Amino acid sequence: MTPILSILVPFHRDDPSILLESLARQRIEDGSVELLLMDDGTDDDGLTRRVSKVVEPFPFPVRLITSRMNRGRSATRNALQASSTADWVLFLDADMRIDHLHFLQTYLDRSQKGDCDIVFGGFTLEPRPHDRRTQLHHALSRSSDCMSAEVRERKGAQHVASSNLCIRKSVLQAQPFDPAFEGWGWEDSEWAARVARTHRLCHVDNPAVHLGLETAETLLDRFAMSGGNYRRFVDTQPALARRFPLYRIVKRLESIPGHEIFRPALRRLVLSRATPMRARIFALKLWRASHYAEAML
């Protein structure tokens, strides 16, 4: 029996065991789903053994693919969809958790309705971060990313992420993720903008819980290194890029010579837990915009 839905989980160094355990508890019909996991170059035999042990008793078919070489986020997603057998695929990040038992059935039902080609379910957070070091990321995500389907629907492709994204496979075959994006960031935003022009995008309230919050230091590093990806996003999807408040800040900083001299002060504000959270978030956004403005020159 060919499954209706292929669940695709790429991971690199992250242990997807919590996600897998929550997926195993889902209430679905036998034969309706398959699960494919791809380890994108972690090169850790211990992690492979742990994941293999978790999926061994799974109630539906599972394949674990390991790559010794790190391909990158876009290439790994493209490889997973090419290996899947269902007409619909569901991308889930390895650092997610499913908290309600009808999560998969919601996507299965939606795939049979025929009114959408792409369905984004959104995500939520734990009420409080378990680690004080991730408080900033928790506050940033809660203010910027955790939105209802009604709010996201008004923004269209502006609020789509591959962390919990269900797609008709034929859409991905025609419009794969762009492997020219390297490292972290913006490849899913570019893909969503590209396909939403020709395919039906729907937002639903079917969230997964995002567990993989980063420390302030990691956020600073990721934002500093993702300027090249942001430039590619702006170059390829200028209409959508202009809709982000970030774009306006970046353009203003481009016209200010020497704005990078403020980065050490911004970094100190971001890292200081004595700084009010709103000020830390503002400083982090300016830090990101400064690096992106430099990348645009």
Side-chain angles (χ1 to χ4, degrees):
M1 178 179 176
T2 302
I4 300 169
L5 180 68
S6 297
I7 307 165
L8 309 181
V9 181
F11 63 99
H12 175 65
R13 297 179 181 170
D14 291 320
D15 186 341
S17 296
I18 293 176
L19 170 65
L20 297 175
E21 290 164 357
S22 65
L23 285 172
R25 295 190 290 270
Q26 289 289 294
R27 295 176 179 172
I28 51 173
E29 293 183 11
D30 290 344
S32 59
V33 304
E34 66 174 357
L35 171 63
L36 281 73
L37 303 109
M38 180 173 283
D39 182 343
D40 182 29
T42 302
D43 197 19
D44 182 345
D45 292 336
L47 178 59
T48 301
R49 287 193 295 270
R50 289 195 299 275
V51 174
S52 299
K53 185 175 182 180
V54 171
V55 300
E56 186 175 343
F58 246 58
F60 43 83
V62 181
R63 280 183 284 163
L64 172 59
I65 305 165
T66 58
S67 172
R68 294 297 181 184
M69 179 181 67
N70 179 246
R71 305 184 185 194
R73 293 154 63 96
S74 293
T76 300
R77 293 190 187 109
N78 292 337
L80 277 168
Q81 75 84 16
S83 299
S84 65
T85 62
D87 287 337
W88 282 79
V89 300
L90 170 62
F91 285 105
L92 289 171
D93 279 358
D95 57 0
M96 309 296 275
R97 186 186 71 223
I98 311 304
D99 271 2
H100 60 102
L101 297 178
H102 301 288
F103 175 82
L104 292 180
Q105 191 61 50
T106 297
Y107 283 127
L108 287 166
D109 292 344
R110 198 62 191 248
S111 70
Q112 301 306 297
K113 286 184 68 175
D115 61 339
C116 294
D117 301 305
I118 308 131
V119 185
F120 180 50
F123 64 88
T124 59
L125 299 168
E126 299 276 21
R128 295 180 182 82
H130 295 299
D131 189 335
R132 289 183 62 193
R133 296 176 302 167
T134 63
Q135 286 177 332
L136 177 63
H137 196 183
H138 188 279
L140 177 67
S141 292
R142 183 169 292 281
S143 64
S144 303
D145 302 322
C146 297
M147 301 177 183
S148 69
E150 181 181 3
V151 173
R152 286 185 271 113
E153 193 72 49
R154 294 197 294 266
K155 301 288 188 178
Q158 186 173 339
H159 287 291
V160 171
S162 57
S163 53
N164 177 18
L165 186 62
C166 191
I167 312 165
R168 195 185 298 273
K169 186 175 179 179
S170 59
V171 175
L172 276 169
Q173 290 172 327
Q175 297 274 9
F177 288 94
D178 181 355
F181 284 87
E182 298 180 353
W184 179 88
W186 296 102
E187 79 287 339
D188 45 5
S189 297
E190 187 278 332
W191 178 86
R194 180 163 25 102
V195 299
R197 290 197 292 266
T198 53
H199 297 85
R200 296 165 297 178
L201 166 64
C202 299
H203 290 270
V204 299
D205 286 315
N206 195 32
V209 182
H210 183 206
L211 302 176
L213 298 178
E214 306 284 6
T215 65
E217 291 87 348
T218 300
L219 285 177
L220 287 164
D221 291 343
R222 282 192 167 180
F223 286 161
M225 293 186 294
S226 59
N229 279 2
Y230 178 74
R231 176 167 184 164
R232 182 166 183 81
F233 169 66
V234 173
D235 289 345
T236 56
Q237 305 298 331
L240 180 62
R242 292 189 186 98
R243 292 166 57 183
F244 285 86
L246 172 63
Y247 180 85
R248 294 188 290 274
I249 300 173
V250 169
K251 297 306 289 184
R252 289 178 183 175
L253 287 177
E254 281 185 61
S255 64
I256 302 175
H259 60 80
E260 63 275 5
I261 67 171
F262 297 106
R263 288 178 192 165
L266 291 172
R267 183 181 182 89
R268 287 193 295 272
L269 285 171
V270 170
L271 295 177
S272 172
R273 292 178 188 165
T275 303
M277 186 57 71
R278 295 176 98 181
R280 292 180 72 189
I281 291 174
F282 181 70
L284 180 63
K285 290 180 177 179
L286 282 180
W287 165 273
R288 176 178 59 182
S290 175
H291 283 280
Y292 286 6
E294 184 176 43
M296 295 296 292
L297 298 175

